Amino acid sequence: MINTEIKPFKATAFKQGEFVEITEQDVKGKWSVFFFYPADFTFVCPTELGDLADHYEELQKRGVEVFSVSTDTHFTHKAWHDSSDTIGKINYFMVGDQTGTITNNFGVMREGQGLADRATFLIDPEGVIQAMEITAEGIGRDAEDLMRKVKAAQYVANNPGEVCPAKWKEGEETLAPSLDLVGKI
């Protein structure tokens, strides 16, 4: 999936009190995060979505749009948003993928269950997947780590010839791969 372009899709999302139609064209031209989760009204999912909502403003400042995706409908997303304090603070797109098109496009549909895996994809402005993470059902994701990956991906995109080493944080030293570095790290 890494370095592949996202596939076409059309869906309805709930965002800030409205239902909006989105397609893959809405992703192009900006950095995006697709944040798949199994289902609304569950247990680990709201903790992850709430954590992501707490980082949404910072992501927006970095030019990143967020699309949370489950196979629930956009109507269910609205009902959850209206009934939960944690989910009520979400301002990003909550995408209804009841046909499973987007979930299957990203290869994270649980076979025979109709539910998405817990998966995160970071997509560059050209619509190309730059990072992905998939965890087991009981393992929640951390928006702080996602922020680190966003910063690293944006740095690498803006600084050809440089790469970010393990645990890299914004402002720290990067590497410029060359024959001189082989065996010296």
Side-chain angles (χ1 to χ4, degrees):
M1 299 288 301
I2 298 296
N3 291 321
T4 64
E5 192 169 339
I6 62 169
K7 296 177 183 174
F9 70 85
K10 182 178 180 183
T12 304
F14 176 74
K15 184 174 193 229
Q16 297 179 325
E18 297 182 15
F19 294 132
V20 293
E21 297 297 317
I22 61 168
T23 71
E24 75 285 352
Q25 293 305 312
D26 294 305
V27 177
K28 304 251 174 116
K30 63 183 141 271
W31 287 87
S32 301
V33 169
F34 274 69
F35 198 83
F36 291 88
Y37 63 98
D40 292 2
F41 296 100
T42 56
F43 314 103
V44 175
C45 299
T47 67
E48 294 181 307
L49 293 170
D51 183 36
L52 191 56
D54 292 341
H55 290 82
Y56 184 59
E57 186 177 328
E58 184 180 358
L59 286 162
Q60 288 279 276
K61 286 178 184 173
R62 297 195 73 84
V64 180
E65 188 53 75
V66 175
F67 300 87
S68 65
V69 184
S70 78
T71 56
D72 296 294
T73 67
H74 53 286
F75 298 112
T76 306
H77 293 329
K78 181 190 181 316
W80 195 25
H81 188 273
D82 292 350
S83 66
S84 165
D85 290 341
T86 299
I87 302 307
K89 64 185 177 181
I90 292 174
N91 289 316
Y92 50 78
F93 291 91
M94 298 180 75
V95 182
D97 187 31
Q98 63 270 21
T99 66
T101 300
I102 304 168
T103 307
N104 281 309
N105 282 356
F106 282 86
V108 293
M109 180 69 81
R110 293 181 186 172
E111 191 171 333
Q113 294 184 31
L115 301 173
D117 281 324
R118 226 173 265 301
T120 308
F121 294 85
L122 175 59
I123 300 158
D124 72 17
E126 286 73 45
V128 176
I129 298 168
Q130 294 298 316
M132 62 185 275
E133 174 185 24
I134 302 173
T135 65
E137 174 66 24
I139 303 170
R141 292 159 285 177
D142 183 342
E144 280 291 325
D145 192 48
L146 174 59
M147 287 301 309
R148 185 190 67 76
K149 291 173 187 172
V150 166
K151 291 172 184 177
Q154 289 180 336
Y155 183 89
V156 169
N158 292 328
N159 296 278
E162 294 184 46
V163 295
C164 297
K167 298 182 178 183
W168 179 85
K169 302 273 191 299
E170 191 171 35
E172 292 181 350
E173 191 173 328
T174 59
L175 299 172
S178 70
L179 190 57
D180 295 339
L181 284 181
V182 175
K184 298 204 169 120
I185 297 175

